[in-house]
Amino acid sequence: MKNTLYISATLRIFAEHKAEVEVEGNTVREALCDLREQYPECEKIFEENGSTKPFVSIFVNDRRVHNDADLKEGDRILLLPVIAGGAPGVISDERRKAVTLDDKEIERYNKHLMLRDIGVKGQKRIKAAKVLVIGLGSLGTPVVQYLAAGVGTLGIADFDEVSLGNLQSQVIHMTKDVNRPKTASARDKIKAINPNVRIEAINERITAHNIAGIIDGYDVIVDCTDNYQSRYLINDACVLCKKPLVFGAMYQFEGQVSVFDVQNGSPCFRCQFPAPPPAGLVPTCSAGGTISPLSGIIGSIQANEVLKLLIGGGETLTGRLLFMDTWNFRTSVLNICKDENCPVCGKSPSITEITEFDYEDFCGLKPCEEENSVETIEPAELKARMDSGEPLTIIDIREPHERAIRRFPNAVVIPIGQLVRRQKELDPDIDTVFICTEGKRSILAINTLRDGGYTGRMLSLSGGVNAAKELFFANEKA
Ligand SMILES: [Zn+2]
């Protein structure tokens, strides 16, 4: 029977640089025999008795097996060398040899040069590299600070400006940088840390139309974004453009880091998380909050993974996902599997071009017909109607910790999960306005209540409390 055999990057020199070959056999041993017949150079990784040499592990459908394991039609065989530090870096020897370190750089990078696993060769690989960091928020800022320690070219992409609320965790930006573009603020700080770093600032939103052009030419991409739409877009682009991706994410006290390097047989983000949650159901880190040092912890781990990919050493989080709960302090490193049916990196992918895919629709950002019929009310109109004394019910569906930041005047608090049960508290003859933090969960609340049979007129406060704060809370003192 025919099976697909994936070959880990370090072993590909023995198989004409192929990542994937078709092999025939009823057992692993027979399949590997077929491999050796097709690629005689592969003999070097086999013992005389036909078993693989001890430094090579065999996985079938992501489970480690021995040479005599049976195979079924369609099994996925992976040859993986288990030597620490054996993985080649993404920077070739030719590129490494093309750069030099001057005396100042030797002094600047001396802590790396002392490390046997990095040394001059490793530091030159870092200098020869081009790394793109997408997002200069909580995760991106620690990432660029550490990558400033020697990465030759650093791409920094963000279309946002620095706000006061960013400063607590985005430690690269200073109070004086508020209202400046994040790329400008970050560029100044990176230059101040290390003037040798070449910076390519990309002050625009990453979209399905421009992403391929933006990531082209970079060796490693670092996803430091804070929304589902960008994450799926970046993942798919990295799979299709064959770029290793260092993923980092956080929410409140928890963080995740992984390396998706599909070129080298690893699963992708979509293998692990095939679809995002419906819009508004799960808050993003910007809406859900995070404890400030978590940015430094997760971002620093991402930077560490980037350096290992560039140098070619250690064991990266490729095929594994680090999960960290810093509130209860628990960490786990989970093995993650490739999904054969993955729409972007699986056997018969449905996503073959970045432009073909409607990310807004996929991520639930485009209003569906039902949501279109949700009426919204602008903060100014709500204020005018409240000031006029018109009867109006205002329902605050925010979480208690969100309400503690700003209490909305004259609002009744009903958590979203209790709305249907407590709908008798609403008067169908009076307009009801729903408020949340960003104006997304209030739409979900209205749809939930409508499904629950409520017939009165319902309005969603456009942009939520965030959009209404200047009008309603202008004179407030914390
Ligand atoms: Zn995948």
Side-chain angles (χ1 to χ4, degrees):
M1 61 194 70
K2 276 206 160 111
N3 297 91
T4 308
L5 186 132
Y6 291 84
I7 304 167
S8 176
T10 41
L11 303 178
R12 283 181 204 156
I13 43 167
F14 306 118
E16 296 168 15
H17 298 279
K18 295 228 166 67
E20 195 182 314
V21 295
E22 289 290 317
V23 287
E24 275 200 66
N26 295 319
T27 62
V28 168
R29 190 179 294 277
E30 288 173 19
L32 294 178
C33 188
D34 185 25
L35 173 75
R36 278 150 53 213
E37 278 170 22
Q38 294 183 54
Y39 303 97
E41 278 288 296
C42 281
E43 282 298 340
K44 291 179 180 142
I45 59 169
F46 288 92
E47 304 280 18
E48 276 181 10
N49 67 6
S51 296
T52 45
K53 288 200 166 156
F55 72 89
V56 179
S57 296
I58 309 159
F59 290 77
V60 171
N61 302 334
D62 300 317
R63 217 173 263 143
R64 195 165 172 183
V65 299
H66 53 79
N67 281 262
D68 293 310
D70 289 328
L71 291 174
K72 307 186 298 299
E73 187 81 35
D75 276 347
R76 191 178 150 272
I77 313 162
L78 168 70
L79 285 190
L80 191 75
V82 286
I83 32 175
V90 297
I91 308 302
S92 65
D93 283 340
E94 294 74 53
R95 285 175 63 192
R96 167 179 61 82
K97 286 174 187 162
V99 299
T100 52
L101 300 176
D102 64 26
D103 288 349
K104 279 245 167 78
E105 286 174 303
I106 286 170
E107 195 178 341
R108 178 185 284 274
Y109 303 137
N110 78 89
K111 292 287 190 294
H112 273 184
L113 303 183
M114 286 177 200
L115 294 170
R116 198 194 63 183
D117 291 316
I118 300 182
V120 174
K121 282 186 177 175
Q123 193 64 39
K124 282 181 163 184
R125 284 199 160 92
I126 297 172
K127 184 175 176 181
K130 293 185 74 179
V131 177
L132 174 66
V133 180
I134 306 179
L136 289 172
S138 307
L139 290 173
T141 51
V143 170
V144 297
Q145 278 175 304
Y146 283 107
L147 293 186
V151 169
T153 304
L154 205 49
I156 52 174
D158 205 303
F159 61 92
D160 217 353
E161 290 181 348
V162 179
S163 74
L164 193 59
N166 294 153
L167 303 182
Q168 192 177 19
S169 59
Q170 303 178 19
V171 289
I172 206 168
H173 308 302
M174 309 287 150
T175 306
K176 66 178 170 59
D177 297 314
V178 170
N179 298 330
R180 288 184 75 200
K182 285 185 173 177
T183 45
S185 166
R187 178 210 295 265
D188 291 352
K189 299 323 145 23
I190 297 165
K191 278 283 172 202
I193 294 169
N194 187 352
N196 301 318
V197 179
R198 204 174 101 82
I199 299 165
E200 296 176 344
I202 301 142
N203 195 12
E204 59 183 304
R205 191 188 283 270
I206 303 280
T207 68
H209 301 289
N210 65 13
I211 189 165
I214 289 174
I215 67 177
D216 186 43
Y218 287 98
D219 300 301
V220 176
I221 313 300
V222 194
D223 178 1
C224 297
T225 59
D226 65 353
N227 64 82
Y228 296 110
Q229 185 185 12
S230 302
R231 295 208 179 281
Y232 285 90
L233 175 62
I234 294 167
N235 175 71
D236 295 354
C238 286
V239 173
L240 295 170
C241 301
K242 302 183 167 57
K243 301 281 180 188
L245 171 64
V246 178
F247 162 87
M250 54 182 188
Y251 178 70
Q252 296 187 343
F253 303 97
E254 292 180 9
Q256 298 177 357
V257 184
S258 188
V259 175
F260 302 119
D261 190 7
V262 173
Q263 273 277 80
N264 288 313
S266 123
C268 78
F269 176 64
R270 210 186 265 281
C271 290
Q272 196 58 26
F273 306 105
L281 190 66
V282 179
T284 59
C285 97
S286 55
T290 44
I291 190 163
S292 61
L294 184 61
S295 321
I297 296 168
I298 298 299
S300 301
I301 295 172
Q302 283 182 279
N304 202 50
E305 291 302 294
V306 172
L307 293 182
K308 286 190 290 178
L309 285 170
L310 300 178
I311 298 160
E315 284 184 51
T316 65
L317 285 167
T318 306
R320 299 184 295 163
L321 181 104
L322 169 73
F323 168 78
M324 183 181 279
D325 169 356
T326 62
W327 190 248
N328 300 300
F329 227 99
R330 307 259 190 287
T331 59
S332 354
V333 180
L334 312 161
N335 288 316
I336 54 175
C337 298
K338 202 170 176 76
D339 177 6
E340 288 185 4
N341 301 315
C342 173
V344 66
C345 82
K347 276 186 171 165
S348 32
S350 55
I351 301 167
T352 52
E353 273 183 44
I354 306 167
T355 46
E356 275 178 4
F357 196 69
D358 192 335
Y359 291 89
E360 293 215 331
D361 192 33
F362 178 76
C363 291
L365 295 175
K366 258 188 197 163
C368 66
E369 276 175 26
E370 202 177 358
E371 283 167 344
N372 256 342
S373 65
V374 169
E375 278 185 84
T376 55
I377 181 167
E378 292 302 317
E381 191 194 339
L382 177 61
K383 178 107 175 37
R385 288 176 69 173
M386 287 169 73
D387 289 348
S388 74
E390 177 190 339
L392 204 56
T393 310
I394 299 169
I395 305 290
D396 188 344
I397 59 157
R398 292 175 302 157
E399 301 291 323
H401 63 270
E402 295 173 284
R403 293 197 309 273
I405 302 169
R406 276 194 186 89
R407 285 190 191 282
F408 203 86
N410 304 320
V412 180
V413 173
I414 305 183
I416 203 161
Q418 298 177 12
L419 275 172
V420 173
R421 179 157 50 83
R422 291 175 59 182
Q423 59 176 289
K424 55 183 176 299
E425 293 174 36
L426 310 182
D427 181 347
D429 297 325
I430 295 176
D431 286 0
T432 304
V433 179
F434 290 83
I435 62 165
C436 64
T437 302
E438 292 185 316
K440 286 180 188 156
R441 275 175 292 161
S442 52
I443 292 174
L444 190 70
I446 292 175
N447 282 322
T448 306
L449 207 47
R450 190 173 287 150
D451 284 348
Y454 184 73
T455 53
R457 187 178 182 215
M458 297 182 281
L459 302 130
S460 160
L461 176 63
S462 185
V465 172
N466 282 352
K469 62 188 173 202
E470 294 203 352
L471 212 53
F472 284 86
F473 308 100
N475 301 319
E476 114 186 336
K477 298 241 180 348

